[in-house]
Amino acid sequence: MEHRCSTQRPLARWLLAIGACLAFSQLSAVTITYTLDGDFDLGTLDGVNHTAPNNHQLQLNAVGTTFPVLWNANAGEDTLSKIDTSTNKELARYRTWFGPAGQPGFVNHLGNAYAGAAPSRTAVDINGNAYVANRHFDGKSASVMKILSDSFIDRNGNGVADTSQDTNNNGVIDPAEIMPMGDTNGNGRVDPAEITDERVAWIVYVGVPNGLGRSLCIGKDGNLWVGLFNTAQYYKISSVDGSPMVGPIAVSWSPYGCLVDSNGMLWSASLGTILGKIDTNTLVVSSFNHGQFGGNYGIALGNGKVYVASLNGRSYIQFDPTTNTFTTPAAQFYTSYGIAVDGSGNIVPGNVNSGGVTKFAPDGTVIWSKPAQPGTGEVRGAVIDANNDVWLIHRTSNNLSKYKGTDGTSLGVFPIGNSPYTYSDATGFAARNITSPTGTWTAIYDSNVAGMPWGKASWTETLPTGATIEVRVRTADTLGNLPLSAYSLVSNNTPFNQSGRYIQVQARLTANADKASPILYDLTLSSQGTTCDVDGDGDIDRNDINAILAARNTTAAPGDSRDADGNGFITVNDGRMCTLKCTRPNCAP
């Protein structure tokens, strides 16, 4: 087995762990600890850092970020596009309804975003999974679909993900690269057996027929809230399987987009002059009228405020929940549909008529203002990506445009599906920075031993009140099978039972309501039965040696951690061998 070890360690870290060092034996037991910057860099940092002066520890970034993926609904063709916001390429496209032409149940409404299933609102959870709501102008009940970000359901048992992908690497998903879906039983609904793309987890129906699903957002518990425009109702459904949890909840407005803040308050636009609110903790409903400023459209959160796009030429309308007052502080006025808030709290509403965009500081002053890029037009949505760059969604020109977040430099125009119509939290920016401020560190370790039995994770942390660190693991004997394994939540220094050559660990850091970050100093993974680690705490010290000596001259079962030489007996020689393997100075506990 490979034996890796960092060569330089601060003294304080020696007192915590041995850094990415492996203790191994004839039984192939293994312990690996991540604690220095170089160790953490062996994994993927997403929204977390070990930047000076806080080196050799993980904490949340000061400026918010999100996944480098944008999920755009194409309303005219009933599909959902997955865009890599770093390369600007379309990675996949998923059918939200039956198609293509020739498949039973297919409805052709190209160019018409208000017919058929017509997907629109998207939401992204803190794990990167995406959800899209079909509005259903065809009189059917609203439907919601879940797409998995890094796993799949092997429905045909062939061991690979049968899914949409850019097979010719041209940066755009061509029709042949989209998995078909047909209404094989003719019942006018998508049933589980009719889903062919194995990244699509489920499709469920919400509410009564003709409810018109125009609102979708992620709650603090990770479950979904779905608002129906025609029936003025909200429902809560499970993010795991789409099953109903709460509802219907009657409201006094027509739901038109929503977001949930860090206190669990659901804020809802209305396409009118009402800003709606549902306390998702108590289910108390309230509303606020901004009639003096005209109607609203899209919605965003930031700076402790609620922002709605202005249909009546004021760029955006700002609501302060501490005073329940509305203002229109923008120094430049225009009509907007889509609106977003970036990682620094700046407000970005798209200019629906000019096709351009302006970035406003929290006090309403203009940071930069840019015209439309060639070949675009109407701005339906505005979205912030992982680099805090700005994406505009152009319904009538079937494309997206991108602007550099810092100064508004034009970064290009990119083709997309028919009638792109998303103006919700299409990258998960609000979910990850407002609803649940979070970041992750993920690493994969290769033990080089098939069926390696893993048994414990332990870590050192600092948790401000209300902040959390959660650690999840999954294992497999091949890298390709890791996505087929579900993550399991593990407790600090508590045994678990998983086996596989590869172990993937993910630490999720979540700030409290005041955005105070937790700190992760180190994380250790141990296999079961690590030789000499008798108490299973991830190190070898005097406590372990004493336990071995206390059992000397007794027989040992195969794999007994006290039997260092593996001869089936526990003797003083085992104590001596383990003393040489002590992982702490002077073998001190």
Side-chain angles (χ1 to χ4, degrees), residues 38 64 216 262 296 352 545:
L216 180 68
S262 60
N296 61 50
V352 62
I545 306 305

Side-chain angles (χ1 to χ4, degrees), residues 8-274:
Q8 295 181 347
R9 300 272 177 240
L11 179 59
R13 288 295 183 243
W14 278 107
L15 299 178
L16 287 172
I18 58 171
C21 295
L22 306 181
F24 62 97
S25 73
Q26 296 170 334
L27 299 174
S28 299
V30 61
T31 296
I32 179 168
T33 297
Y34 302 90
T35 181
L36 298 184
D37 290 348
D39 304 330
F40 289 128
D41 284 338
L42 294 173
T44 301
L45 291 83
D46 185 358
V48 298
N49 68 84
H50 50 70
T51 305
N54 299 312
N55 299 93
H56 311 302
Q57 64 185 47
L58 294 180
Q59 53 270 317
L60 291 168
N61 292 350
V63 176
T65 186
T66 190
F67 307 101
V69 176
L70 186 156
W71 301 85
N72 178 82
N74 304 301
E77 63 178 35
D78 302 333
T79 64
L80 176 73
S81 290
K82 180 181 183 181
I83 308 296
D84 185 324
T85 59
S86 297
T87 64
N88 308 320
K89 293 182 177 182
E90 187 178 15
L91 302 175
R93 198 180 298 185
Y94 308 91
R95 298 195 183 280
T96 68
W97 195 245
F98 302 118
Q103 289 288 334
F106 170 74
V107 176
N108 183 6
H109 58 98
L110 287 177
N112 186 352
Y114 310 98
S120 173
R121 282 44 162 195
T122 62
V124 182
D125 66 24
I126 60 174
N127 296 312
N129 302 308
Y131 307 83
V132 60
N134 281 328
R135 290 170 291 175
H136 277 292
F137 290 97
D138 50 16
K140 301 180 186 298
S141 297
S143 59
V144 178
M145 183 173 89
K146 179 177 183 177
I147 307 92
L148 302 171
S149 64
D150 67 347
S151 58
F152 63 98
I153 300 171
D154 191 11
R155 292 186 171 95
N156 58 12
N158 66 356
V160 298
D162 294 300
T163 184
S164 172
Q165 53 191 309
D166 186 14
T167 54
N168 62 10
N169 199 33
N170 68 348
V172 178
I173 297 298
D174 302 313
E177 296 170 332
I178 310 173
M179 299 289 288
M181 187 161 65
D183 186 11
T184 56
N185 61 10
N187 69 350
R189 296 166 65 93
V190 178
D191 298 308
E194 295 168 337
I195 300 173
T196 60
D197 195 303
E198 292 183 337
R199 291 208 188 276
V200 176
W202 45 256
I203 298 176
V204 299
Y205 293 83
V206 181
V208 299
N210 199 37
L212 204 62
R214 279 180 156 171
S215 188
L216 180 68
C217 54
I218 307 286
K220 279 191 66 63
D221 60 1
N223 293 306
L224 301 167
W225 289 85
V226 184
L228 304 184
F229 186 84
N230 286 349
T231 59
Q233 295 170 327
Y234 268 98
Y235 292 80
K236 180 180 179 180
I237 65 173
S238 167
S239 60
V240 176
D241 57 12
S243 58
M245 300 179 71
V246 175
I249 299 173
V251 297
S252 60
W253 64 91
S254 297
Y256 205 77
C258 64
L259 291 171
V260 178
D261 69 21
S262 60
N263 295 311
M265 302 299 117
L266 182 152
W267 299 96
S268 173
S270 65
L271 196 60
T273 62
I274 298 296

Side-chain angles (χ1 to χ4, degrees), residues 316-399:
Y316 63 89
I317 302 167
Q318 175 180 292
F319 178 74
D320 186 342
T322 62
T323 60
N324 292 339
T325 56
F326 293 96
T327 55
T328 54
Q332 177 182 319
F333 278 1
Y334 54 82
T335 295
S336 63
Y337 286 174
I339 186 170
V341 175
D342 71 10
S344 298
N346 302 309
I347 303 97
V348 187
N351 189 325
V352 62
N353 294 318
S354 76
V357 62
T358 300
K359 175 177 280 192
F360 297 92
D363 64 0
T365 57
V366 173
I367 297 176
W368 51 257
S369 185
K370 298 295 178 179
Q373 296 188 51
T376 57
E378 178 206 271
V379 178
R380 183 62 52 164
V383 181
I384 305 299
D385 72 11
N387 293 320
N388 274 270
D389 293 330
V390 178
W391 291 73
L392 302 183
I393 296 169
H394 304 281
R395 178 182 64 88
T396 56
S397 53
N398 301 327
N399 53 27

